Amino acid sequence: MTAGIIFSASPLLFIREAGYPIDYIGLICTAAPIGVILSVFGRTVINSSCNKIILIYALPLMLFAFALLFFVSFNISIFNYVIAALCYGLGGGLFQGSLIQIAMNQKKDKQSTIGGLLRLFQNGGIIIGSACSLMLLEAKISPLENISTYQKLWGITFSVLSIMFVYSYVSLFRIKK
């Protein structure tokens, strides 16, 4: 869901609020995919268990990204957006890579089922996030009203990630007991 929101709302933010040309916006919005690419190198440096990667690195990086976007919504700059998008991409890449590794550590006969379900839920979340964010952004016409809508989107996403973080943290301790 978070990917759907950041990838659908960000271009609209820069088109409507900043008036940047579309090719410039395309370059700005590559920050998150660059973060995902950097996460591959980050995983080799971290060299930790999947649960620790998710709790210590991935979710906190994504939480930081949306907290930054939430607090600078009224005065978004390219620098702030690029930092937030890089952090989101890095955290998202670590998160997704860890989930895939957890799926591959399951029984051999369950790997394809778990991997398929994981991808199904990821794609469903992206669709739901994109649809919800575009619906909210199209509901208002005035650019000044849209800024508060962007802040609401970043806040909703921050809340979803916070719930995921708390749930993951509690689940990890239940597993250890």
Side-chain angles (χ1 to χ4, degrees):
M1 183 178 142
T2 60
I5 290 175
I6 196 167
F7 290 126
S8 61
S10 300
L12 292 175
L13 172 75
F14 287 113
I15 288 170
R16 290 180 179 173
E17 310 305 330
Y20 292 128
I22 196 72
D23 52 345
Y24 196 56
I25 294 168
L27 288 174
I28 295 168
C29 290
T30 59
I34 289 170
V36 172
I37 292 168
L38 293 175
S39 72
V40 174
F41 302 112
R43 282 186 65 80
T44 59
V45 172
I46 294 169
N47 197 16
S48 186
S49 75
C50 296
N51 291 331
K52 286 183 181 177
I53 289 174
I54 289 173
L55 284 174
I56 296 172
Y57 301 104
L59 287 173
L61 276 168
M62 294 191 308
L63 282 167
F64 170 77
F66 282 101
L68 178 63
L69 289 170
F70 178 79
F71 288 116
V72 299
S73 289
F74 293 108
N75 192 16
I76 190 86
S77 69
I78 293 173
F79 177 77
N80 289 334
Y81 177 80
V82 168
I83 294 297
L86 277 171
C87 287
Y88 173 76
L90 186 59
L94 290 171
F95 185 79
Q96 185 174 7
S98 296
L99 287 178
I100 291 170
Q101 188 174 353
I102 290 170
M104 292 303 120
N105 289 339
Q106 302 302 313
K107 295 178 184 176
K108 293 251 185 231
D109 62 334
K110 300 289 183 189
Q111 285 180 351
S112 61
T113 303
I114 294 170
L117 285 172
L118 181 64
R119 196 65 209 161
L120 173 73
F121 285 114
Q122 286 173 341
N123 288 340
I126 291 170
I127 291 166
I128 291 169
S130 297
C132 290
S133 68
L134 293 173
M135 183 183 68
L136 284 171
L137 289 171
E138 291 302 316
K140 308 241 181 204
I141 296 174
S142 169
L144 294 177
E145 291 174 353
N146 282 338
I147 292 175
S148 65
T149 304
Y150 293 117
Q151 193 171 34
K152 288 175 193 170
L153 281 172
W154 307 139
I156 290 168
T157 309
F158 181 81
S159 300
V160 167
L161 286 170
S162 297
I163 292 167
M164 286 175 56
F165 180 75
V166 169
Y167 178 78
S168 298
Y169 192 76
V170 168
S171 294
L172 180 64
F173 282 108
R174 282 187 188 160
I175 291 172
K176 285 187 177 182
K177 290 181 181 181

